[in-house]
Amino acid sequence: MQDVTKIMTVINAVDFGAFFDIVSPAIEIHPANYTAEVKSAFLQAVFDRGNLSSIKDTEFLLWLRVRLSPLLVDLSPSLVTPLFDIGKNRSCNSSQEIIAMLDTLHLTLSNDTKREVYKNTLLFLQGPMPLKCYSGGSFYTYLRNTFLSFGFPDLSTFISLLPRMRESELLSTISSSELRQFLSQPNVIGNNSDICVIFNNYNNTPTFLETEDVPDDVKKMTLPCVWSLALSSNSRSEADSWFDLRLRNYLRFLSKSLISPVKVQNASCHAFQKLVAVMGNNFTYNSSEFGESDVYTTVRTYLRNGTDATDGVRCYNASDAELNSTAWFVNNIGNFVKFIALDDFTFFVSTSQSEVFLEDQANLELFNNKAISEDVTELYILQLFTFNPTFSPMKLPGFFLCSSEVPGSAYSSLSENNTILILNKLKEFCNGTENAVTFAALTSNIQTITGEMFATLGSASAGLTTSQITSVAPSVLVSSLSTLSSVSTWNQEQATTIIQTITAAGFQINDRSSLESLGTLVAGVPSKSIEKIPASVLLNISKSSTFVSNMLGAPKVVQQTFVNKIISVDSSPAKVVMNVPDAMATEIPPSLLVFSQEMVDISVINKKEWTSDQAAMFFGILGEANIDVEQLPPSVLQGFTCSSVQRMRQTRIQGLIRACRPRRGRAKVELKESQLTCMLNLLNGNLSQNFTDYPSDMLLYFNNKDIKRANCRSYLSAVGAADFSVASRVLKKDSLLLSEARSCLGINGTKLSRDNVEVLGNMACTLNSSYIQNADPLILEKLKACNDLSDSQVDAMERMLLSGETKYGNPSTWNKQTLENLGLLPLYFTRNFWGQFQSQTKKRFLRTFNPQLRGSRTEKRKLKVLFEEISAQKTKRGAGCTVGNITQVTVSDASFPFGYDRVQFDLCLDIPVLKDNLLSICEKVDDNDFQKVILMKLNQAFPLGISDEKVQVLGSVSRVASLDDISKWNITKLDTLAALMDADGGPWEAAKSKAIISKYLNTSGNSLGSTELNSVGSNLCSLDSSTLMTITPDSIRSAKPLDVTSCSSEQKKVLYEISNSSFSALITSPSAYYNLIKPFLGGASLEDILKLSAQNISMDIATFQSLDPNVIDVLNVTNVRGLMGFQLQDLKLFENDTVIRDWVNLQSQSDLDSLGVGLTTNRTNLTTAPSGSNNSTDTTATTAVSTATPTQGSTGGSTATTAVTTAQGSTSGSDAPMTIITEATTQGRTSVSDAPMTIITEATTQGRTSVSDAPMTITDATTQGRTSVSDAPMTITDATTQENTSGSDATFSTSAATTQANTTSGGAELAKHPTSIFLSILLTAVLQILQQPA
C-alpha cells in the first residue's frame, strides 16, 4: 500500500486519466493480483488529487464506469462518503449512476460498506435540495429505485424524506399495494405515531383498508390512526362501509382507550350507532383489555353529554330520515342495555320523545331481558302506561307481563280469549311469579268458571273473589281439586269458602286420601273438622312433608288441634316427640316434654323447632348426654336456664354457653335477660377476654372489672352485635356502656367518627339525637338493625338524610331504590322525609315494603303511624269518589289503601266489594278511621249480625269495634275466638276481650279448654275470677305457658290453684315443676313459695319480681337465697328495681351481708327493752298471719304482710321474741298512717316478772284520719294489766297458724313493711302502755 502511495505521488494529477486507463483494465483482468488495500490506495489518491468534482459529467461517467469501476470492488466503508462527495453537485443521472454502479458490485461489498452506501444515499435524498431527482410517479418506486439493494428506509425515515408541504402529494402517488409492501416489511414501524402521518395524508386510505392485508401488528398500529375517520362518518352508508368493510379486520385490535368516552364523544350519530351495533353483536371480548361494561360507560356518556341533542335526546331527529327511528334504545344502546342503571334510564325517558320510544316494539323486545335490572324494567313499564294508559298488554313481551308495574286496569279490559292468551304467557315466562293484582284483573274477565277454566287459570285462581267461588258448582270445585290444591296463594277467606262449599255438598274430609286431595286448601279446614278426623289418620298423614307444609299455612288453632290429635295417639313424651312433625313441635304442651335421659333421642330433638319454654323442659338431660354441644341447634340452646343446668358439670355448662355464641351461617340463639345473667353468674367471674366466645347479648351484663383496659375496644366491638333492647331499662345499660365507650375510644362531645360508629355497632340504637346528628353517616346503616326508634332519633336521621351528605345523595335524586336501600328505616320516617317523594314512587315502594312489614309481624301501632305519615293531605268531602272506585283489583295491590284518605275510602268503597274482599281489605287497612268505616259498612251489610266466618277475617279491624259492634258478632266457633284473639291484630281493651270471650263461652258446649287458653293468651286476665275458676287442671296442663302478668292478685291466685293442681304430679321433679308453674307463681301463697325455696330451683329475677308483694315482704334472706340459687347475684344487678329495693329495705344489714352480693338496706334496726325483764332463758314464739282483701278502687294503697323474726335464749323480757304480721290497706287515703291496719301478735314468755313479759295479742287497730298514732282506737286483751291509760279502744284477737321462730342474736326485731314508720310508732305506744305500773 505504501508502494502505491509512492507511485501515485510521482504521477502528476493531470496524468491520472492515462494512468488508470492502463491500470484499471489490468486490475479488472487480474483482480487477484491487487489486494483491497492496493485498490483503496489508488482510490484514495484519486479522491485526494484527482479533482474529479470539477470535471464534466461525461468525463465523470467515464471515470466511474471505466477507471473507477474495478477499484470499487470490495470497496472500503471509509471510501463510500468520498465517492458520494464527488457526485454531490452533479446531475441526478450522475448521482444515481454512483449508486447503480455500487449496486452492481454489492456482492463484493461488506455490510459496513453497504450501510455507508445506504447512509450516503439517504443524505443524497435529504440534501440541500430534497428529492431534487424525483420527477413524478410513485414515490415509493422512486425510493426503491434509488436505494436499490442497499436497503429501504423505515417508516420514521421514510416520513423524514417527505417535505412537510408535500406529504399528501407524495404519499398519494403510492398505490395501496405498494403501501402494503412497505408497511409489511419487518420492523419498518418503529414509532406508532409515524404511521398516523401516512394515513392522515394518504388519500386512498379507505381502499387500502378494504383491499390490503397487512400483518396484525401493523393493523393494531393502524387502527388508532384511522379510528377518528370511522367515527366521523357523516352518513349511515359511510358508517356501514367503515365498520363492515374497511375496519372489518381491524376492530379486534380496539383498545380501551379507543372506545373511551374521550375518543367517542365527538363521533357522528351514524358512526356511534354503528359502533353500538358492532360492539354489541359482533365483537369478541375474550382477548380484549376491556369489557362490555366499559363500552356501556362510553355509550351512556355519549348519550348523556352530547351537545347535538334535541330536547335532551341525542341521535334522534324526527325530521331526519336516518335518525328518526323510534327504536332509539335499540339503535343507541343495543345489547348494552343490560348495563343500564336506573339513573341513566330515568334520564333517557325524561324527554318529550320518550313516549314514542317506549311504545316502539323493537325497544320493548330489547328490554325483554332478565339481565336488565328489575327497577329499570319496572320504570320502563310504569312510564309506558303513564304515557299511554290504554296500551294493550297483548303487545308486551313475555317477561314484561311478570312485572307488578303493569296496571290491573290494562288487563281488566281484555276479552276472555285474550285473557286466556295472557294466562298462558304468564305460565311460560313468569316461572311461578304470582301477581295478585294481575290475577284479580284477569279473573274478573272470566264469565263462567268450568273445570277447564280452572286448569287454564292455575295459580291465577287465587284472584277469584268469594262470590265467584261460591258461584261455581261444588262438583266442579271437587273435580278441580288437582288444580286448586296446588295454588299456593289462597287467602284464608278463599280457602275457607271453598272448603265450606264442597263439604256442604257432601265432600267428606275423614281419611288420608281426602286430606291429601285438599293440598294447600287444608288451610281452610276448620279446627272442628280436624277434631273429628280419627287420630290414627292424622298421625299417618303427618309423615307427609307436603301435607305438613300445607298445614303450616293453616291458622294456629287448626295446627294446635292437629298436633293435639296426634298427641292423643300416645301421650308419652318420647312418642310425642317422635310423632309430632318437626316443624310443628312448637305446638307440643311443655308438660309433655318431661322425660329422662333414657327416654329421649337427642338427634330427634335436634331436628325439631322449639320455643324457649319447651327447650327448658328437657335442657337438663343434655348434662349427661354424650353429644357435641357445638352441634346443638339454636332452638335447643335457647332452653338454657339456671334451673335446668344446676346439676351439670361446670365444663358442660361452659361448653353450652360457648355454643350460644354468634356463629356465621347459624341463626342467633335468642336468650332472655334472665338466661343471660344466669350464664354470667354461672361463670362466676371466670371470663375470657375472647369476647366472641360468649353470646353477644350476655356481654351487656359484663362489669368493668371483667374487661382489661387493653381489651376495651374488642369488647365494645363484640357487644356492638348485641340486642340492647334485651336489657331492662332499670339497669341503664345504654348509658353505662356509652360511658365506657367514650372512655375507651376517646370520644369527646357528641361527634362520632366512622371508626367509632363501626365499633359501637348496635349501641347506635341507644344513642340520642345529638350523637346521631354528629355521627358519621355510617350510623344510618347501624340504625337499620334497631328494634325501635324514638321520635328524636328519627328526627336526627331525617336531618342527616335531608342534608344530602350521605351515600343516599341529594334528596332531589331520591327514588324507589333509595327507599329500598334504607332497609326498615322508612317505617319510622315522618312527612318531612316522605315529602321528598312523588306519590307514585311511594306507592311503588309500598308494594314491596308493606308485605315485608306484615311478613315480619310488625306492630300494628307502627303500621298505623307509617300510613299516617306517608299519606298525602286529606281531601274535602263533597266531591264524591275522585281517587277511584275500590275494586277487587284495587285491594289486591299491596300498597292499598295508599292514596285514599278517610273520606275517599268511605266514598269509594261499596258494600258489595267489601263483602267480597273482606279479608284482603282488613289485612291491608291499618288506619283507625278507615277501620271504623269498614265496621260501619259491615253493620249496614249484615244488620242481623255478622257470621263467624266474616268475623274471623276482621284482624286488627276488630280492635276499633265498640261493645255494641261486638254484640252483633257471632262468636260461636273456636276458630273465630282464636282469630279475634290473635296478638298480631294488636292489643285488646279488657272490656272488649271479656265481651268476646264471654260471648264464645255462652255458646253451649264451649269452655276454656287448652286450645282456647292458647288462643286467648294474656286476654285471659280480662275475665272474672268466677269464669277463671271453670278452667280445669287438664286444660292448664295441656296448654302453652300463659301470660298472666296483667291479672289481678285474685285472678292470679285462682289460676295458681288450678295450675298447682295441674302440675302437682311433677312436684318431685323440681326443675320441671318450676318451669311449668312459673307463670302462675304470682298467685302462690307464702307457704308454697317457702316450699319452693327448699327445692333448689334457681328462680329468675323476673319471676321473683312477679310474686305476690305480700309474700315477698315476708320472705327473709334465707328464703330468698333458697329461691334464687345461682340467680342470687341478680338481686344486686336489679337493686334499683322497686320490688327488689323494697324487699332489701325490709331486711337488716347483717342479714343482707350474709348473702354476699353487696346489697345495702336503709332500714334502721329497732329493739324493745322493757324494764325488769332479765331472767328469761327460753322463749318460744308463735306467729299467725292474718290476710285481708284490699278494697277495690284504692288510689295509693297496697296490701302487705310483714313478719318480725324471733330469738330464743333471751335473758330479759325485752328480749322476748315477738312476731308482728300485718296487712294494711289504704282506701284512697293520702298517707300510710291513714290506713286501717291489723296487727296480730302472739308472744309467749317463760318466767317473766313484769307486765311487759306477758303474752300479748294485738289485732285490728284502725286509724281513721287521725293525726297521731295515739288517736287510734285500741283494745288490749290477754295481758296482765288491762288498763287503758291513753284512751285507746283496741280490739285483740289471735290467729291459728304458728311457726318456729328463727334464732337471731339481736333481740326481738321488727320487720319493716311499706308502712313501717307507722308500725314502729304504734308498737312503741303499745309497749309504753304495757310498761306502766298497775
Side-chain angles (χ1 to χ4, degrees):
M1 186 167 174
Q2 291 179 350
D3 293 337
V4 173
T5 302
K6 292 178 181 179
I7 294 173
M8 293 306 296
T9 301
V10 299
I11 299 175
N12 196 320
V14 296
D15 296 324
F16 275 7
F19 175 78
F20 281 104
D21 284 341
I22 298 171
V23 173
S24 292
I27 293 174
E28 188 172 11
I29 295 172
H30 302 288
N33 295 335
Y34 300 88
T35 65
E37 289 78 6
V38 170
K39 289 184 284 187
S40 294
F42 282 135
L43 281 174
Q44 188 64 54
V46 172
F47 295 155
D48 290 343
R49 299 173 52 219
N51 197 25
L52 297 184
S53 298
S54 61
I55 62 176
K56 295 180 179 179
D57 284 349
T58 52
E59 189 169 350
F60 171 75
L61 292 175
L62 173 64
W63 267 97
L64 183 63
R65 294 170 181 171
V66 177
R67 297 168 182 165
L68 297 181
S69 176
L71 300 177
L72 296 177
V73 174
D74 297 325
L75 180 66
S76 170
S78 62
L79 298 176
V80 173
T81 298
L83 175 62
F84 271 83
D85 285 345
I86 63 176
K88 274 184 181 179
N89 297 317
R90 296 192 177 277
S91 66
C92 290
N93 184 48
S94 297
S95 300
Q96 290 175 328
E97 187 71 19
I98 295 174
I99 301 172
M101 174 60 68
L102 292 173
D103 185 61
T104 62
L105 301 173
H106 77 277
L107 293 177
T108 71
L109 304 179
S110 68
N111 289 335
D112 289 342
T113 301
K114 291 177 182 178
R115 280 192 288 272
E116 285 298 310
V117 173
Y118 170 81
K119 184 172 67 174
N120 280 274
T121 303
L122 193 60
L123 292 172
F124 164 69
L125 293 172
Q126 296 172 335
M129 296 178 60
L131 305 182
K132 66 176 183 178
C133 296
Y134 171 69
S135 58
S138 170
F139 183 65
Y140 177 75
T141 301
Y142 166 71
L143 291 180
R144 275 291 180 196
N145 292 337
T146 300
F147 284 98
L148 296 174
S149 63
F150 297 104
F152 198 83
D154 61 16
L155 183 59
S156 181
T157 305
F158 180 88
I159 292 173
S160 71
L161 296 175
L162 300 173
R164 186 166 298 278
M165 301 303 294
R166 300 183 63 190
E167 286 176 342
S168 180
E169 170 202 342
L170 295 173
L171 288 172
S172 296
T173 65
I174 304 173
S175 68
S176 60
S177 62
E178 288 175 331
L179 184 56
R180 172 185 55 78
Q181 292 172 25
F182 172 45
L183 296 177
S184 298
Q185 295 177 63
N187 304 316
V188 71
I189 305 174
N191 189 329
N192 289 357
S193 62
D194 292 333
I195 196 171
C196 292
V197 176
I198 300 291
F199 291 107
N200 288 341
N201 293 280
Y202 189 51
N203 63 2
N204 207 17
T205 294
T207 301
F208 172 83
L209 296 172
E210 222 172 293
T211 60
E212 304 299 335
D213 187 25
V214 293
D216 285 353
D217 61 330
V218 177
K219 291 176 183 174
K220 188 174 183 179
M221 290 183 280
T222 300
L223 183 58
C225 302
V226 300
W227 187 236
S228 60
L229 299 175
L231 295 180
S232 61
S233 303
N234 56 14
S235 69
R236 190 169 302 284
S237 59
E238 179 69 7
D240 289 344
S241 294
W242 270 103
F243 286 91
D244 294 341
L245 297 175
R246 298 164 189 167
L247 298 182
R248 181 179 66 249
N249 296 320
Y250 288 77
L251 291 175
R252 59 194 171 98
F253 299 108
L254 278 171
S255 65
K256 190 171 184 177
S257 172
L258 290 179
I259 59 93
S260 68
V262 174
K263 291 288 186 182
V264 179
Q265 189 58 41
N266 295 320
S268 69
C269 285
H270 305 97
F272 172 77
Q273 291 178 347
K274 188 64 182 180
L275 174 65
V276 169
V278 170
M279 299 305 292
N281 299 310
N282 304 324
F283 191 78
T284 302
Y285 291 88
N286 293 342
S287 58
S288 66
E289 64 179 13
F290 60 90
E292 291 179 282
S293 61
D294 296 307
V295 178
Y296 176 72
T297 299
T298 296
V299 169
R300 69 179 294 278
T301 303
Y302 179 88
L303 293 174
R304 294 192 64 158
N305 300 324
T307 57
D308 58 340
T310 302
D311 194 19
V313 179
R314 194 172 188 184
C315 296
Y316 176 76
N317 188 336
S319 61
D320 186 335
E322 290 195 339
L323 294 174
N324 65 357
S325 171
T326 56
W328 186 85
F329 287 105
V330 173
N331 295 334
N332 293 284
I333 299 179
N335 288 334
F336 300 103
V337 71
K338 60 191 174 186
F339 296 104
I340 193 170
L342 183 63
D343 178 61
D344 295 334
F345 184 76
T346 302
F347 177 85
F348 297 145
V349 298
S350 61
T351 61
S352 58
Q353 294 96 340
S354 58
E355 179 179 351
V356 293
F357 299 163
L358 295 171
E359 292 188 33
D360 184 271
Q361 201 64 39
N363 287 335
L364 283 167
E365 292 298 336
L366 177 69
F367 278 83
N368 186 34
N369 184 341
K370 284 188 173 181
I372 298 173
S373 173
E374 184 179 349
D375 54 1
V376 171
T377 304
E378 288 182 351
L379 182 56
Y380 188 115
I381 298 170
L382 177 67
Q383 292 293 89
L384 172 63
F385 283 96
T386 299
F387 284 129
N388 185 3
T390 63
F391 187 84
S392 172
M394 300 300 294
K395 296 180 181 179
L396 291 176
F399 292 123
F400 272 38
L401 296 171
C402 311
S403 172
S404 60
E405 295 299 336
V406 180
S409 57
Y411 295 114
S412 298
S413 59
L414 295 177
S415 66
E416 189 165 310
N417 287 337
N418 283 341
T419 295
I420 293 174
L421 290 176
I422 291 293
L423 285 168
N424 290 331
K425 279 189 174 183
L426 289 173
K427 292 177 182 177
E428 178 183 357
F429 294 103
C430 299
N431 190 30
T433 301
E434 295 167 339
N435 187 317
V437 174
T438 299
F439 289 170
L442 291 172
T443 54
S444 68
N445 300 328
I446 307 300
Q447 303 303 314
T448 304
I449 302 175
T450 62
E452 292 77 12
M453 182 55 71
F454 271 129
T456 300
L457 287 172
S459 59
S461 300
L464 295 169
T465 64
T466 54
S467 61
Q468 284 179 299
I469 293 171
T470 54
S471 71
V472 181
S475 59
V476 173
L477 290 173
V478 173
S479 65
S480 301
L481 280 177
S482 59
T483 297
L484 303 180
S485 63
S486 62
V487 176
S488 62
T489 52
W490 294 118
N491 66 35
Q492 188 62 44
E493 189 175 25
Q494 292 170 315
T496 300
T497 301
I498 294 174
I499 295 298
Q500 284 181 337
T501 302
I502 63 176
T503 53
F507 183 82
Q508 297 292 313
I509 306 175
N510 55 12
D511 56 20
R512 176 167 184 148
S513 176
S514 58
L515 283 168
E516 286 183 327
S517 69
L518 296 180
T520 56
L521 290 171
V522 75
V525 178
S527 60
K528 190 172 183 179
S529 295
I530 297 293
E531 185 65 45
K532 293 178 180 178
I533 300 173
S536 58
V537 171
L538 296 178
L539 176 60
N540 181 270
I541 200 171
S542 70
K543 309 305 178 186
S544 166
S545 59
T546 300
F547 179 81
V548 171
S549 177
N550 291 329
M551 179 59 76
L552 290 172
K556 276 291 181 183
V557 65
V558 175
Q559 295 183 44
Q560 290 170 13
T561 305
F562 176 72
V563 170
N564 289 339
K565 290 289 288 186
I566 292 175
I567 291 173
S568 69
V569 175
D570 189 335
S571 60
S572 64
K575 282 294 184 181
V576 168
V577 172
M578 187 68 70
N579 290 340
V580 174
D582 295 346
M584 304 184 77
T586 53
E587 304 305 325
I588 299 174
S591 62
L592 294 180
L593 295 173
V594 181
F595 30 58
S596 65
Q597 180 72 43
E598 296 74 23
M599 295 170 60
V600 66
D601 185 339
I602 301 296
S603 63
V604 174
I605 282 183
N606 285 345
K607 295 177 182 177
K608 296 187 180 294
E609 294 294 327
W610 303 107
T611 66
S612 60
D613 292 315
Q614 290 175 313
M617 296 301 298
F618 56 75
F619 200 81
I621 65 174
L622 302 178
E624 299 301 324
N626 184 20
I627 56 172
D628 178 3
V629 296
E630 286 287 297
Q631 301 307 312
L632 292 174
S635 66
V636 170
L637 290 170
Q638 66 177 334
F640 189 108
T641 65
C642 272
S643 177
S644 60
V645 303
Q646 57 190 357
R647 298 182 185 276
M648 294 185 187
R649 303 184 310 275
Q650 185 66 19
T651 53
R652 175 54 59 92
I653 292 174
Q654 291 172 347
L656 288 168
I657 293 174
R658 186 173 187 275
C660 295
R661 72 190 183 282
R663 283 184 271 177
R664 182 170 297 179
R666 281 173 60 102
K668 179 182 178 181
V669 180
E670 298 292 343
L671 299 167
K672 301 183 182 71
E673 183 170 56
S674 60
Q675 295 170 295
L676 298 165
T677 59
C678 164
M679 289 178 172
L680 190 62
N681 295 337
L682 288 169
L683 292 174
N684 196 27
N686 184 22
L687 299 172
S688 163
Q689 295 297 293
N690 188 5
F691 303 112
T692 54
D693 276 351
Y694 301 113
S696 300
D697 295 351
M698 175 183 152
L699 300 175
L700 292 169
Y701 302 93
F702 273 39
N703 294 315
N704 278 334
K705 64 182 179 60
D706 299 325
I707 306 155
K708 294 180 181 177
R709 177 67 183 177
N711 298 330
C712 67
R713 181 182 173 90
S714 60
Y715 166 73
L716 290 171
S717 181
V719 80
D723 178 1
F724 281 69
S725 66
V726 169
S728 297
R729 286 185 178 276
V730 71
L731 302 183
K732 299 180 180 179
K733 285 295 181 181
D734 48 358
S735 58
L736 292 173
L737 285 169
L738 178 59
S739 177
E740 291 180 23
R742 288 176 60 88
S743 172
C744 175
L745 302 178
I747 299 171
N748 295 314
T750 58
K751 187 174 181 60
L752 299 177
S753 68
R754 186 177 185 85
D755 179 69
N756 294 156
V757 173
E758 193 66 67
V759 173
L760 294 180
N762 291 344
M763 198 185 298
C765 301
T766 71
L767 299 177
N768 64 36
S769 58
S770 297
Y771 281 101
I772 294 174
Q773 270 189 263
N774 291 293
D776 183 272
L778 177 66
I779 199 168
L780 293 172
E781 310 311 307
K782 303 301 179 183
L783 292 169
K784 291 178 182 179
C786 301
N787 294 327
D788 204 355
L789 293 165
S790 69
D791 291 344
S792 61
Q793 287 177 314
V794 172
D795 179 68
M797 287 192 297
E798 288 183 338
R799 289 175 183 273
M800 178 177 285
L801 285 166
L802 292 171
S803 72
E805 296 177 359
T806 71
K807 73 176 187 177
Y808 301 99
N810 190 286
S812 63
T813 66
W814 289 351
N815 52 33
K816 174 173 170 276
Q817 188 62 53
T818 306
L819 291 170
E820 291 174 348
N821 292 341
L822 283 167
L824 280 177
L825 294 182
L827 173 63
Y828 303 97
F829 289 146
T830 70
R831 292 186 181 183
N832 293 333
F833 172 83
W834 291 114
Q836 308 299 319
F837 296 89
Q838 295 181 350
S839 178
Q840 190 177 66
T841 302
K842 292 188 283 189
K843 184 171 186 176
R844 292 176 62 222
F845 171 64
L846 288 175
R847 285 179 181 150
T848 55
F849 195 51
N850 279 346
Q852 177 187 349
L853 294 176
R854 294 192 171 95
S856 60
R857 302 175 69 179
T858 302
E859 295 176 71
K860 282 294 178 181
R861 65 174 179 85
K862 293 183 180 181
L863 296 178
K864 292 175 187 292
V865 173
L866 170 63
F867 182 79
E868 180 180 350
E869 294 297 330
I870 198 174
S871 296
Q873 297 296 318
K874 314 286 186 191
T875 57
K876 295 181 180 179
R877 180 180 289 276
C881 176
T882 58
V883 178
N885 288 324
I886 297 173
T887 66
Q888 178 196 4
V889 176
T890 311
V891 301
S892 297
D893 192 324
S895 67
F896 178 80
F898 178 76
Y900 292 87
D901 60 17
R902 191 265 179 206
V903 172
Q904 284 295 300
F905 183 75
D906 185 8
L907 293 172
C908 298
L909 178 61
D910 294 330
I911 289 178
V913 174
L914 175 63
K915 292 170 62 177
D916 226 11
N917 301 275
L918 185 58
L919 175 61
S920 294
I921 293 174
C922 288
E923 68 182 4
K924 293 183 176 71
V925 173
D926 299 307
D927 182 84
N928 287 354
D929 290 337
F930 285 37
Q931 292 177 335
K932 289 175 183 177
V933 170
I934 292 172
L935 289 176
M936 177 191 69
K937 290 181 181 288
L938 278 178
N939 288 333
Q940 295 172 6
F942 303 104
L944 300 180
I946 304 175
S947 69
D948 276 88
E949 287 69 32
K950 294 297 183 185
V951 173
Q952 286 173 24
V953 301
L954 290 179
S956 66
V957 173
S958 62
R959 280 22 175 211
V960 301
S962 65
L963 289 173
D964 183 58
D965 290 329
I966 293 172
S967 69
K968 300 172 185 176
W969 296 350
N970 281 289
I971 310 175
T972 64
K973 300 177 181 179
L974 175 57
D975 305 69
T976 310
L977 176 67
L980 286 171
M981 294 291 105
D982 189 345
D984 288 346
W988 277 105
E989 296 174 19
K992 294 179 183 179
S993 63
K994 178 181 179 181
I996 289 170
I997 301 170
S998 299
K999 199 170 180 63
Y1000 171 78
L1001 293 175
N1002 288 337
T1003 301
S1004 177
N1006 290 345
S1007 64
L1008 288 174
S1010 61
T1011 310
E1012 283 87 349
L1013 292 177
N1014 291 339
S1015 301
V1016 168
S1018 62
N1019 293 302
L1020 189 68
C1021 296
S1022 66
L1023 300 177
D1024 295 335
S1025 295
S1026 58
T1027 304
L1028 298 180
M1029 290 178 183
T1030 65
I1031 301 173
T1032 66
D1034 184 63
S1035 294
I1036 293 282
R1037 184 167 49 252
S1038 301
K1040 297 178 181 180
L1042 299 177
D1043 178 5
V1044 300
T1045 53
S1046 62
C1047 288
S1048 68
S1049 176
E1050 180 183 358
Q1051 291 171 313
K1052 289 179 180 178
K1053 289 175 182 176
V1054 170
L1055 291 171
Y1056 171 75
E1057 291 302 325
I1058 301 171
S1059 62
N1060 194 29
S1061 175
S1062 300
F1063 307 125
S1064 58
L1066 294 171
I1067 195 68
T1068 56
S1069 177
S1071 178
Y1073 174 76
Y1074 169 67
N1075 283 329
L1076 293 170
I1077 201 70
K1078 182 166 61 173
F1080 308 99
L1081 288 176
S1085 67
L1086 173 63
E1087 180 182 5
D1088 287 350
I1089 294 300
L1090 291 176
K1091 288 179 181 177
L1092 272 180
S1093 70
Q1095 296 298 315
N1096 193 24
I1097 58 169
S1098 290
M1099 179 180 286
D1100 58 90
I1101 193 72
T1103 302
F1104 180 80
Q1105 291 167 319
S1106 72
L1107 298 179
D1108 187 335
N1110 296 324
V1111 172
I1112 294 177
D1113 286 350
V1114 177
L1115 297 175
N1116 59 33
V1117 292
T1118 303
N1119 304 146
V1120 172
R1121 180 189 292 109
L1123 281 174
M1124 299 195 68
F1126 290 124
Q1127 299 276 42
L1128 189 64
Q1129 187 65 42
D1130 286 358
L1131 287 175
K1132 177 63 177 177
L1133 180 65
F1134 283 84
E1135 65 180 337
N1136 291 323
D1137 173 74
T1138 302
V1139 172
I1140 306 303
R1141 185 174 63 245
D1142 287 348
W1143 177 82
V1144 168
N1145 290 335
L1146 289 172
Q1147 314 308 312
S1148 68
Q1149 187 59 52
S1150 60
D1151 285 346
L1152 290 176
D1153 291 344
S1154 70
L1155 293 177
V1157 297
L1159 293 173
T1160 303
T1161 183
N1162 65 5
R1163 167 186 170 180
T1164 302
N1165 288 331
L1166 298 175
T1167 60
T1168 59
S1171 60
S1173 302
N1174 57 6
N1175 59 352
S1176 177
T1177 59
D1178 183 58
T1179 305
T1180 302
T1182 57
T1183 303
V1185 181
S1186 174
T1187 303
T1189 303
T1191 304
Q1192 297 294 328
S1194 298
T1195 61
S1198 61
T1199 301
T1201 301
T1202 305
V1204 179
T1205 58
T1206 63
Q1208 296 182 353
S1210 303
T1211 59
S1212 69
S1214 61
D1215 294 332
M1218 177 181 293
T1219 302
I1220 302 178
I1221 300 177
T1222 304
E1223 183 168 83
T1225 303
T1226 64
Q1227 303 176 358
R1229 296 170 173 79
T1230 59
S1231 70
V1232 175
S1233 63
D1234 292 334
M1237 310 192 75
T1238 300
I1239 304 178
I1240 303 173
T1241 304
E1242 183 172 331
T1244 302
T1245 66
Q1246 298 179 1
R1248 294 177 174 78
T1249 60
S1250 69
V1251 174
S1252 62
D1253 295 334
M1256 95 180 109
T1257 301
I1258 304 175
T1259 181
D1260 197 21
T1262 305
T1263 65
Q1264 300 178 354
R1266 295 172 175 79
T1267 60
S1268 69
V1269 176
S1270 61
D1271 293 334
M1274 292 186 182
T1275 301
I1276 305 176
T1277 63
D1278 196 20
T1280 304
T1281 302
Q1282 299 184 1
E1283 251 180 69
N1284 293 331
T1285 61
S1286 60
S1288 336
D1289 294 319
T1291 301
F1292 286 75
S1293 65
T1294 62
S1295 64
T1298 63
T1299 64
Q1300 180 64 37
N1302 297 321
T1303 60
T1304 64
S1305 59
E1309 296 181 348
L1310 176 63
K1312 297 178 67 178
H1313 181 271
T1315 58
S1316 57
I1317 297 175
F1318 168 69
L1319 285 175
S1320 62
I1321 297 173
L1322 177 61
L1323 180 59
T1324 302
V1326 171
L1327 292 175
Q1328 288 174 348
I1329 294 171
L1330 293 176
Q1331 292 175 5
Q1332 290 182 4

